[in-house]
């Protein structure tokens, strides 16, 4: 099995020192920088947009894993690509034209991801399964960092893994991932885990990222 990828979510970082925080998680051995974009409409919170992504791009060479919690998504995809996104994930529940969004993302030369909320069935992925590079299973309701992992999502991760089968699609899990539940999540089929509060609420990022890797084994 390939090594677990860890994607710290900068939603829980110190925004006043964002460049420094990005350099710190890079040096601590993360695989991706997970970037949560919120619009106050699809989710009940606001975060940041392409200008902030562009500003932190110079601070790391690691892939930018951009999780769009915005509705619509289509009008902004080119801007996120230009700002430095490597993976762009849209929610199946957000834009009316999910398939078109995925086509546009790939057309921009980026990896296309689709995300499903805890209340969305796995079947929502079926029509687009051959049009995605990554599936992001939300294990909390999107909008905020620091929420509790929703246990019913473990069976869903397993079902998504089965749906993926042999396709070269990465399975990422986002929300409430901690050293004490990461093994269960990885055993269910996750290739990549997002960790926001688990990483940034601690003081030693190296230790936390290592603790996640060790716990997953
Ligand atoms: C929630 C975001 C998550 C969140 C994860 O809407 O998509 O990426 O920041 O934070 P933790 O790991 O604290 O649940
Ligand atoms: Zn996220």
């Amino acid at each position: 099995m390939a090594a677990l990828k860890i994607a710290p979510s900068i939603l829980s970082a110190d925004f006043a020192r964002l460049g420094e925080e990005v350099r710190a998680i890079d040096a601590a051995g993360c695989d991706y920088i997970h970037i949560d974009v919120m619009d106050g409409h699809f989710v009940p919170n606001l975060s940041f947009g392409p200008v902030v992504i562009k500003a932190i791009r110079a601070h790391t060479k690691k892939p930018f894993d951009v999780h769009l919690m915005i509705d619509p998504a289509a009008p902004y995809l080119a801007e996120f690509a230009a700002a430095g996104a490597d993976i762009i994930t849209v929610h199946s529940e957000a834009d009316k034209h999910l398939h078109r969004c995925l086509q546009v993302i790939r057309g921009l030369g980026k990896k296309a991801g689709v995300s499903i909320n805890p209340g969305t069935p796995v079947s929502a992925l079926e029509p687009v399964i051959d049009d995605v590079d990554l599936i992001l299973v939300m294990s909390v309701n999107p909008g905020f960092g620091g929420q509790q992992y929703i246990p019913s999502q473990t069976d869903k991760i397993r079902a998504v893994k089965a749906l993926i089968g042999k396709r070269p699609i990465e399975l990422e899990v986002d929300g409430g991932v901690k050293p004490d539940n990461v093994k269960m999540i990885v055993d269910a089929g996750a290739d990549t885990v997002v960790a926001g509060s688990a990483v940034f609420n601690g003081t030693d990022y190296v230790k936390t990222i290592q603790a996640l890797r060790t716990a997953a084994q």
Side-chain angles (χ1 to χ4, degrees):
M1 211 184 88
L4 173 68
K5 289 192 188 127
I6 296 178
S9 164
I10 58 166
L11 189 63
S12 295
D14 179 354
F15 287 0
R17 303 167 32 250
L18 202 48
E20 207 180 303
E21 291 274 69
V22 167
R23 291 200 303 276
I25 51 172
D26 178 331
C30 75
D31 296 281
Y32 296 158
I33 313 294
H34 186 81
I35 303 178
D36 287 307
V37 178
M38 303 181 176
D39 69 351
H41 164 73
F42 177 64
V43 289
N45 195 6
L46 290 158
S47 59
F48 39 68
V51 290
V52 172
I53 296 175
K54 197 172 170 200
I56 56 172
R57 186 62 279 191
H59 292 267
T60 178
K61 289 193 166 49
K62 297 222 166 138
F64 275 8
D65 171 29
V66 176
H67 177 193
L68 297 182
M69 287 160 273
I70 63 174
D71 180 12
Y76 307 102
L77 297 172
E79 226 181 309
F80 282 107
D86 296 285
I87 303 163
I88 302 179
T89 297
V90 291
H91 266 264
S92 75
E93 308 87 357
D95 199 290
K96 280 194 200 76
H97 298 287
L98 174 62
H99 188 276
R100 182 187 293 154
C101 284
L102 297 167
Q103 276 183 318
V104 169
I105 295 167
R106 281 187 165 177
L108 289 162
K110 306 300 173 186
K111 287 192 172 170
V114 61
S115 182
I116 52 171
N117 281 333
T120 301
V122 175
S123 59
L125 299 168
E126 286 168 12
V128 294
I129 190 81
D130 289 312
D131 303 289
V132 297
D133 303 294
L134 178 145
I135 293 172
L136 177 62
V137 173
M138 288 307 302
S139 44
V140 298
N141 286 296
F144 304 94
Q147 302 181 79
Q148 287 284 324
Y149 181 87
I150 300 171
S152 59
Q153 298 311 295
T154 310
D155 280 345
K156 189 194 270 182
I157 298 164
R158 226 170 267 126
V160 172
K161 185 71 181 172
L163 175 66
I164 290 172
K166 291 196 180 333
R167 294 177 181 89
I169 298 174
E170 187 170 338
L171 177 47
E172 184 175 29
V173 174
D174 185 2
V177 178
K178 309 279 174 210
D180 68 6
N181 62 11
V182 69
K183 182 163 168 47
M184 174 186 78
I185 293 163
V186 169
D187 286 349
D191 306 300
T192 303
V193 292
V194 176
S197 52
V199 172
F200 286 103
N201 288 2
T203 47
D204 190 338
Y205 300 166
V206 177
K207 209 169 137 192
T208 310
I209 290 173
Q210 198 47 54
L212 284 164
R213 288 198 201 284
T214 307
Q217 282 165 8

